[in-house]
Amino acid sequence: MAQEAEYLAALQTTIDPELADGLENLRESASVKLLGSGELPKLRQAAKILPWLWPLTTLGAITLFALAYWRAQNRRDT
Protein backbone atom coordinates (compact mmCIF):
# COMPACT_ATOMS: atom_id res chain seq x y z
CA MET A 1 0.00 0.00 0.00
CA ALA A 2 2.84 2.38 0.81
CA GLN A 3 4.50 1.65 -2.52
CA GLU A 4 1.32 2.56 -4.38
CA ALA A 5 1.07 5.85 -2.49
CA GLU A 6 4.72 6.62 -3.27
CA TYR A 7 4.15 5.82 -6.94
CA LEU A 8 1.07 8.04 -7.14
CA ALA A 9 2.86 10.88 -5.34
CA ALA A 10 5.82 10.63 -7.71
CA LEU A 11 3.48 10.60 -10.68
CA GLN A 12 1.56 13.64 -9.44
CA THR A 13 4.80 15.50 -8.70
CA THR A 14 5.97 14.80 -12.24
CA ILE A 15 2.72 16.09 -13.73
CA ASP A 16 2.48 19.21 -11.54
CA PRO A 17 5.58 20.01 -9.45
CA GLU A 18 3.76 22.80 -7.58
CA LEU A 19 1.62 20.20 -5.79
CA ALA A 20 4.60 18.39 -4.23
CA ASP A 21 4.26 20.26 -0.90
CA GLY A 22 0.58 19.41 -0.61
CA LEU A 23 1.26 15.76 -1.30
CA GLU A 24 3.68 15.52 1.61
CA ASN A 25 0.79 16.35 3.95
CA LEU A 26 -1.50 13.86 2.24
CA ARG A 27 0.96 10.99 2.54
CA GLU A 28 1.11 11.44 6.28
CA SER A 29 -2.63 11.78 6.83
CA ALA A 30 -4.30 9.00 4.84
CA SER A 31 -3.49 5.97 2.78
CA VAL A 32 -4.50 5.60 -0.85
CA LYS A 33 -6.74 2.71 -1.79
CA LEU A 34 -7.00 1.61 -5.39
CA LEU A 35 -10.31 0.03 -6.31
CA GLY A 36 -10.51 -3.07 -8.42
CA SER A 37 -12.66 -3.35 -11.49
CA GLY A 38 -15.29 -5.47 -9.74
CA GLU A 39 -15.75 -3.23 -6.71
CA LEU A 40 -18.15 -0.75 -8.34
CA PRO A 41 -20.60 -2.80 -10.42
CA LYS A 42 -23.53 -0.44 -9.80
CA LEU A 43 -21.53 2.52 -11.08
CA ARG A 44 -20.62 0.60 -14.22
CA GLN A 45 -24.28 -0.22 -14.79
CA ALA A 46 -25.25 3.44 -14.36
CA ALA A 47 -22.54 4.45 -16.84
CA LYS A 48 -24.12 2.14 -19.40
CA ILE A 49 -27.64 3.51 -18.81
CA LEU A 50 -26.93 7.27 -18.71
CA PRO A 51 -26.27 7.77 -22.44
CA TRP A 52 -29.75 6.43 -23.15
CA LEU A 53 -31.43 8.18 -20.25
CA TRP A 54 -30.70 11.84 -21.05
CA PRO A 55 -32.81 11.96 -24.27
CA LEU A 56 -35.80 10.63 -22.34
CA THR A 57 -35.41 13.18 -19.57
CA THR A 58 -35.05 15.98 -22.12
CA LEU A 59 -38.21 14.86 -23.87
CA GLY A 60 -40.00 14.68 -20.53
CA ALA A 61 -38.92 18.21 -19.59
CA ILE A 62 -40.11 19.59 -22.94
CA THR A 63 -43.42 17.76 -22.54
CA LEU A 64 -43.95 19.16 -19.03
CA PHE A 65 -43.17 22.67 -20.25
CA ALA A 66 -45.61 22.33 -23.16
CA LEU A 67 -48.31 20.96 -20.84
CA ALA A 68 -47.85 23.83 -18.39
CA TYR A 69 -47.97 26.36 -21.25
CA TRP A 70 -51.14 24.80 -22.67
CA ARG A 71 -52.82 24.74 -19.24
CA ALA A 72 -51.93 28.41 -18.73
CA GLN A 73 -53.60 29.33 -22.03
CA ASN A 74 -56.75 27.40 -21.03
CA ARG A 75 -56.92 29.23 -17.71
CA ARG A 76 -56.41 32.58 -19.41
CA ASP A 77 -59.29 31.92 -21.83
CA THR A 78 -61.64 30.99 -19.00
Side-chain angles (χ1 to χ4, degrees), residues 40-54:
L40 297 173
K42 292 180 182 177
L43 185 60
R44 189 178 321 135
Q45 185 179 8
K48 290 180 182 178
I49 292 173
L50 282 178
W52 297 102
L53 190 59
W54 74 265

Side-chain angles (χ1 to χ4, degrees), residues 3-76:
Q3 290 175 337
E4 294 168 348
E6 292 294 325
Y7 172 74
L8 291 175
L11 184 64
Q12 181 64 35
T13 304
T14 304
I15 293 171
D16 191 357
E18 294 176 1
L19 293 177
D21 296 332
L23 286 174
E24 292 298 326
N25 296 334
L26 280 175
R27 275 189 252 161
E28 295 171 2
S29 64
S31 61
V32 175
K33 181 180 183 220
L34 299 177
L35 298 175
S37 62
E39 291 186 57
L40 297 173
K42 292 180 182 177
L43 185 60
R44 189 178 321 135
Q45 185 179 8
K48 290 180 182 178
I49 292 173
L50 282 178
W52 297 102
L53 190 59
W54 74 265
L56 294 175
T57 56
T58 303
L59 182 61
I62 291 171
T63 303
L64 286 175
F65 178 77
L67 181 65
Y69 185 75
W70 177 72
R71 298 275 304 203
Q73 281 184 338
N74 284 347
R75 272 191 246 144
R76 185 191 66 202

